[in-house]
């Protein structure tokens, strides 16, 4: 009986030791050095916002990453496309205008660190027309002419943009009657612009021309008529990379980044 118990104990010790040894070889390190979860090891600064400022922010992010070694991932477009993921991992949120970011704060008060809110650079409104400007649109008044078809973005940083421009010159009625299509986002406007060649003009930010140079010409308004809106950015309350994220925001405020924004149509 004692011999049987001794053999069973010996076998148990053997298999336990062998199992631990195999686990150690497979894992390559003790449990105390196991890989941390993704949130602890994640060195990516995740930035979310609308499509308008994507060009300059993404380009600035590439320069920042090259200079610092910190990766920045910029996701932009209609809010509905990214808000679910942003609620989980966003470090930074930017807006296409000041009111746009404020509207985001109203809807998601738990997300934005309002004390970190920062203004980047302003951009002017202008008129996008078809290549070659076949309707000979040279000024705001030309948008009231019979037969001119306008597309309007009623949101996405452009809410009331055309009305603010037209109201100063008494053109609200004339332009309003020529609005052929109204959509909620720039992404929708671009899709309609490309699929419906009967649309002649779009009152929007000059910056969109630099993203759509193949399908638009830009009619700049006189400086005294231009209307500017901001480009706000802020940290989120959920970021666990506050120092690094703030470092990227500070970089966006540098003169080097300003030159990038200017290249994309900002002032």
């Amino acid at each position: 009986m004692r011999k049987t118990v001794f053999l069973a104990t010996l076998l148990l010790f053997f298999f336990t030791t062998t199992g631990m040894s195999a686990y150690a070889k497979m894992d390559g390190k003790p449990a105390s050095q196991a890989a941390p979860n993704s949130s602890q090891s994640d060195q990516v600064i995740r930035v979310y916002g609308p499509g308008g400022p994507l060009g300059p922010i993404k380009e600035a992010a590439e320069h920042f990453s090259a200079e610092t070694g910190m990766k920045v991932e910029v996701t932009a477009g209609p809010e509905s496309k990214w808000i679910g993921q942003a609620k989980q991992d966003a470090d930074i949120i930017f807006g296409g205008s000041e009111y746009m970011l404020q509207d985001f704060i109203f809807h998601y008060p738990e997300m934005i660190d309002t004390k970190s809110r920062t203004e980047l650079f302003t951009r002017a409104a202008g008129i996008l027309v078809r290549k070659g400007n076949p309707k000979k649109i040279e000024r705001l008044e030309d948008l009231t002419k019979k037969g001119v078809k306008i597309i309007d973005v009623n949101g996405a940083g452009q809410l009331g943009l055309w009305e603010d421009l037209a109201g100063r010159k008494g053109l609200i009625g004339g332009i309003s009657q020529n609005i052929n299509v109204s959509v909620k986002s720039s992404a929708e406007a671009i899709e309609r612009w490309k699929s419906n060649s009967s649309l002649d003009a779009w009152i929007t930010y000059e910056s969109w021309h630099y993203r759509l140079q193949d399908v638009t010409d830009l009619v700049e308004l006189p400086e005294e008529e231009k209307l500017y809106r901001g480009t706000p950015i802020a940290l989120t309350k959920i970021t666990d990379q506050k120092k690094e994220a703030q470092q990227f925001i500070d970089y966006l405020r540098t003169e080097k980044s300003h030159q990038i924004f200017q290249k994309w149509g900002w002032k």
Side-chain angles (χ1 to χ4, degrees):
M1 181 66 179
R2 291 179 180 176
K3 184 176 182 180
T4 302
V5 172
F6 174 78
L7 288 173
T9 302
L10 185 62
L11 286 170
L12 179 61
F13 176 80
F14 173 79
F15 285 122
T16 300
T17 304
T18 303
M20 289 178 68
S21 176
Y23 177 80
K25 289 179 180 178
M26 179 178 67
D27 188 67
K29 55 194 155 186
S32 62
Q33 295 178 11
N37 61 42
S38 59
S39 64
Q40 292 175 318
S41 62
D42 190 2
Q43 296 299 310
V44 179
I45 300 170
R46 289 185 166 83
V47 184
Y48 293 87
L54 172 62
I57 290 180
K58 185 175 181 181
E59 184 174 338
E62 291 169 355
H63 285 274
F64 175 82
S65 295
E67 293 176 22
T68 67
M70 288 186 279
K71 184 179 179 181
V72 180
E73 182 180 281
V74 184
T75 301
E79 183 183 299
S80 59
K81 303 293 185 180
W82 50 259
I83 185 60
Q85 188 61 40
K87 286 181 178 180
Q88 300 178 46
D89 63 14
D91 298 299
I92 295 172
I93 300 288
F94 62 87
S97 68
E98 288 290 338
Y99 92 78
M100 195 175 187
L101 183 62
Q102 186 58 53
D103 193 54
F104 185 91
I105 293 169
F106 286 149
H107 282 89
Y108 310 104
E110 74 287 353
M111 283 195 68
I112 300 295
D113 176 1
T114 56
K115 292 182 179 179
S116 71
R117 184 170 176 165
T118 303
E119 165 61 20
L120 297 178
F121 309 104
T122 59
R123 53 180 172 161
I127 306 169
L128 299 192
V129 297
R130 294 288 171 185
K131 295 292 291 183
N133 196 4
K135 289 295 178 75
K136 306 302 178 185
I137 296 168
E138 302 294 344
R139 54 186 188 151
L140 208 59
E141 286 85 349
D142 293 336
L143 297 180
T144 67
K145 291 180 179 178
K146 186 177 179 179
V148 173
K149 293 183 179 180
I150 302 169
I151 184 168
D152 167 50
V153 176
N154 196 44
Q158 296 158 61
L159 186 64
L161 193 64
W162 74 264
E163 187 175 1
D164 288 345
L165 286 166
R168 295 186 298 191
K169 304 194 75 177
L171 301 174
I172 291 177
I175 290 179
S176 177
Q177 68 182 5
N178 281 347
I179 293 177
N180 183 258
V181 177
S182 288
V183 295
K184 293 183 177 180
S185 72
S186 297
E188 292 178 82
I190 293 168
E191 182 181 345
R192 295 293 189 93
W193 184 266
K194 290 182 176 180
S195 64
N196 184 357
S197 60
S198 72
L199 296 172
D200 302 304
W202 173 13
I203 299 175
T204 183
Y205 297 113
E206 292 179 355
S207 60
W208 274 112
H209 167 63
Y210 297 88
R211 295 268 297 275
L212 299 166
Q213 293 187 55
D214 57 331
V215 291
T216 68
D217 280 345
L218 172 63
V219 177
E220 291 191 44
L221 300 174
E223 188 60 41
E224 64 272 14
E225 294 181 16
K226 285 189 177 184
L227 187 151
Y228 290 87
R229 286 187 176 171
T231 311
I233 194 165
L235 298 173
T236 65
K237 292 179 181 178
I238 64 172
T239 181
D240 59 358
Q241 303 182 99
K242 185 174 181 178
K243 180 180 178 181
E244 293 81 1
Q246 184 61 55
Q247 189 174 340
F248 177 57
I249 290 178
D250 292 341
Y251 184 84
L252 290 174
R253 290 283 298 156
T254 64
E255 183 54 33
K256 184 173 183 177
S257 291
H258 189 196
Q259 290 175 9
I260 293 172
F261 273 82
Q262 288 176 317
K263 186 178 74 174
W264 286 89
W266 269 252
K267 184 176 178 180

